[in-house]
Amino acid sequence: MPEPKELILLIEDEPQMRRFLRITLQAHGYRLVEAVSAKEGLLQATTRNPDVVLLDLGLPDLDGLEVTKQLREWTNMPIIVISARDQEQDKVNALDAGADDYITKPFNASELLARIRVALRHTAREKSGQQEPVFALQNLKVDLALRKVFIDGKEVHLTPIEYKLLTTLVRHAGQVLTHRQLLKEVWGPAHVNEVQYLRVYMLQLRQKLESDSTRPRFLMNEPGIGYRLKSETET
């Protein structure tokens, strides 16, 4: 018999949304545990140790941002926010608080399932203790072992900052990284407000890696939030 799939914790107080997600996730073989409040969700997280948390922000007893912060005090389990809040700042706040991804309601099942797969792949890599040595997407190849980048088989020369920015995105391929997260990782904590640094270097990366820097295929902009490198399995 096939082994059961990963366990997903759903923290959501809206009955219709819980029903939709229950049907969707179980139909794709995932195991599911549900919580209708922040308190119950935090308890389930500690006792059940899920592989992924799906978290609504508008919970009756505690804001989902606080739930995210409390989870991040002791675990790195993937947290995907599912929320009707669609303002840019809400997304930035959730990602900066430690969420791995953010999906705005309403969303379709295929999008959610794709985000879950991305989160699980990142977890698997972390548990293995190593990054895949080569990241490949269409005609882009990043050889992390050799510290080389290729387009159509030809090496592209990047500056140290450009390379660090690209490999940071590679490590989180498929996930949105906020301006603040990227600035902290690449330039350091003293530069988290220097968004112009990021814009300049992202433009340079696009000019070197994209066939048309004004219509990028790899390095995607999330307006007002940050940037995302497409994952290897995205079309």
Side-chain angles (χ1 to χ4, degrees):
M1 292 183 63
E3 294 185 4
K5 277 195 175 182
E6 293 84 352
L7 178 66
I8 295 178
L9 168 60
L10 171 62
I11 309 176
E12 167 67 71
D13 66 326
E14 183 183 343
Q16 289 183 328
M17 179 57 67
R18 287 204 311 278
R19 182 176 183 275
F20 163 68
L21 292 172
R22 184 187 309 126
I23 292 171
T24 298
L25 296 170
Q26 292 180 345
H28 286 81
Y30 291 106
R31 296 176 294 136
L32 182 67
V33 58
E34 300 176 31
V36 299
S37 68
K39 182 178 179 181
E40 182 183 1
L42 289 166
L43 178 62
Q44 293 284 13
T46 57
T47 57
R48 300 295 296 273
N49 193 29
D51 296 290
V52 177
V53 177
L54 300 181
L55 173 65
D56 182 28
L57 294 183
L59 298 169
D61 55 338
L62 191 66
D63 190 87
L65 287 177
E66 184 58 34
V67 175
T68 300
K69 292 174 183 177
Q70 290 191 29
L71 287 172
R72 281 292 171 256
E73 289 176 359
W74 63 273
T75 181
N76 288 322
M77 65 178 64
I79 301 171
I80 301 175
V81 169
I82 49 172
S83 177
R85 301 179 191 174
D86 60 358
Q87 297 299 307
E88 291 175 358
Q89 194 57 49
D90 292 318
K91 298 177 182 180
V92 170
N93 290 342
L95 293 166
D96 280 341
D100 296 274
D101 210 340
Y102 193 112
I103 304 179
T104 303
K105 299 176 183 176
F107 51 83
N108 60 50
S110 59
E111 179 185 9
L112 176 65
L113 292 167
R115 302 292 184 92
I116 290 172
R117 290 193 296 270
V118 167
L120 291 171
R121 282 199 301 272
H122 281 288
T123 300
R125 288 174 181 173
E126 288 179 1
K127 287 181 178 178
S128 70
Q130 60 184 8
Q131 175 78 31
E132 292 293 328
V134 176
F135 174 88
L137 179 64
Q138 298 180 41
N139 63 332
L140 168 67
K141 185 173 80 169
V142 182
D143 191 318
L144 297 166
L146 296 177
R147 297 179 61 84
K148 292 184 177 182
V149 179
F150 302 88
I151 290 289
D152 292 323
K154 298 180 180 179
E155 185 175 356
V156 178
H157 295 283
L158 302 182
T159 69
I161 290 291
E162 290 169 350
Y163 182 79
K164 189 171 183 181
L165 178 57
L166 178 61
T167 54
T168 300
L169 290 162
V170 164
R171 291 200 308 273
H172 299 274
Q175 296 178 310
V176 178
L177 294 179
T178 66
H179 298 137
R180 187 180 183 88
Q181 288 170 329
L182 285 166
L183 286 162
K184 182 178 180 181
E185 180 74 18
V186 178
W187 282 271
H191 300 281
V192 294
N193 295 316
E194 304 291 346
V195 178
Q196 189 58 29
Y197 287 1
L198 190 53
R199 291 186 179 132
V200 168
Y201 277 90
M202 283 300 299
L203 176 59
Q204 291 175 187
L205 267 183
R206 282 175 169 163
Q207 289 172 339
K208 290 183 177 182
L209 303 180
E210 302 278 5
S211 56
D212 182 352
S213 62
T214 64
R215 301 176 64 185
R217 295 177 298 152
F218 313 131
L219 301 162
M220 312 307 293
N221 181 36
E222 299 289 338
I225 301 169
Y227 295 93
R228 174 176 66 90
L229 175 66
K230 282 191 174 181
S231 72
E232 294 158 288
T233 57
E234 286 185 80
T235 56

